[in-house]
Amino acid sequence: ARLWDGMEGTLGLIARLLYGTGLRLMEGLRLRVKDVDFERGQIVVHDGKWAKDRVTMLPQSLEAPLRAHLEKWRLEHGRELAAGRGETSLPESVARKYPGSAREWAWQYVFPAAGLMAVRRDHGPIGLRHHLHEDTLQRGMRAAVKRAALAKRATCHTLRHSFATHLLENGYDIRTVQPRKSSGFAWLRFAGAQGREHDANLHARHGEAGPRGAESAG
């Protein structure tokens, strides 16, 4: 609780998301709007460790603040589009496959940087909005740890470990994260307190939230 008291606003939201979902630092920062599924209460992680896609849970306690955060940026994105801007950075393969997707709301970063990144194009330089830089969150985390006067060293990676620890404390025996051949995703496999195997709700098809209903994000 002392740590959260020292992290407010966007940085506090990201830290809580890492803690509540088990996401790695860069996985959290690289999330795009289309990766957050409020209806199913889950988040899709593309190109995670070992270039695997997977799905993790979205805690109910974060739904309201995350919706509010996204609504604020959705309005800002609309203003950017009206001003002739509003493009985000995309992998080259996605930009080729889905022309114009850089301006679509679904492809915007959940946690965008405050400023624009200058990129040179054939018709001249343009400004793209990248995700928040990892150093910003790491500095915020260090400052919060210092203010909280924690006895142990804590980093953004500590939040991910805490997620797994609390699953174990609540009776879940985490088995493995396995590739799901039929969907292209990984399923989080774990055993409940009674020893029964459960599968997290990971039935989302690859890329179903892509631009204009595309079947894959590339």
Side-chain angles (χ1 to χ4, degrees):
R2 286 184 298 164
L3 179 62
W4 302 139
D5 290 341
M7 297 191 78
E8 299 179 345
T10 299
L11 297 185
L13 179 58
I14 301 173
R16 287 173 172 83
L17 192 67
L18 299 184
Y19 174 77
T21 63
L23 293 176
R24 297 176 177 86
L25 170 60
M26 294 309 300
E27 289 174 345
L29 295 180
R30 289 172 178 160
L31 283 178
R32 298 184 188 267
V33 174
K34 68 182 184 63
D35 299 331
V36 181
D37 188 336
F38 287 105
E39 289 187 7
R40 294 181 177 178
Q42 62 188 31
I43 291 176
V44 180
V45 181
H46 293 287
D47 295 324
K49 194 171 183 180
W50 303 298
K52 298 289 186 180
D53 291 349
R54 73 180 193 280
V55 179
T56 187
M57 64 199 72
L58 172 62
Q60 290 184 349
S61 61
L62 293 179
E63 287 188 13
L66 189 55
R67 283 183 185 273
H69 169 82
L70 288 175
E71 178 60 15
K72 179 188 74 172
W73 278 106
R74 187 186 67 81
L75 296 174
E76 176 62 24
H77 179 60
R79 289 189 286 268
E80 291 272 297
L81 290 175
R85 299 186 295 270
E87 290 192 40
T88 189
S89 54
L90 289 174
E92 187 176 339
S93 58
V94 174
R96 275 198 317 269
K97 191 171 184 179
Y98 305 121
S101 57
R103 295 171 60 85
E104 294 183 8
W105 170 239
W107 283 93
Q108 304 302 307
Y109 285 109
V110 173
F111 301 110
L116 300 180
M117 176 178 64
V119 176
R120 185 173 298 278
R121 294 281 176 82
D122 294 339
H123 55 276
I126 64 169
L128 300 180
R129 196 171 296 280
H130 200 48
H131 60 70
L132 190 71
H133 198 280
E134 60 268 27
D135 287 351
T136 303
L137 180 58
Q138 289 169 334
R139 285 195 299 269
M141 182 74 177
R142 286 196 294 270
V145 170
K146 185 176 181 180
R147 285 193 293 269
L150 299 181
K152 294 183 179 180
R153 179 174 179 269
T155 66
C156 293
H157 195 62
T158 306
L159 300 176
R160 172 176 163 81
H161 278 287
S162 298
F163 167 79
T165 299
H166 286 305
L167 282 181
L168 293 171
E169 289 175 346
N170 283 280
Y172 292 103
D173 177 22
I174 300 174
R175 299 283 182 85
T176 183
V177 176
Q178 301 174 346
R180 180 72 173 171
K181 293 181 180 179
S182 61
S183 66
F185 280 110
W187 279 37
L188 177 62
R189 304 290 303 250
F190 55 88
Q194 303 301 320
R196 296 188 303 269
E197 282 197 352
H198 299 277
D199 292 311
N201 182 18
L202 309 182
H203 301 291
R205 294 179 57 221
H206 188 111
E208 67 179 311
R212 293 176 294 281
E215 74 279 8
S216 173

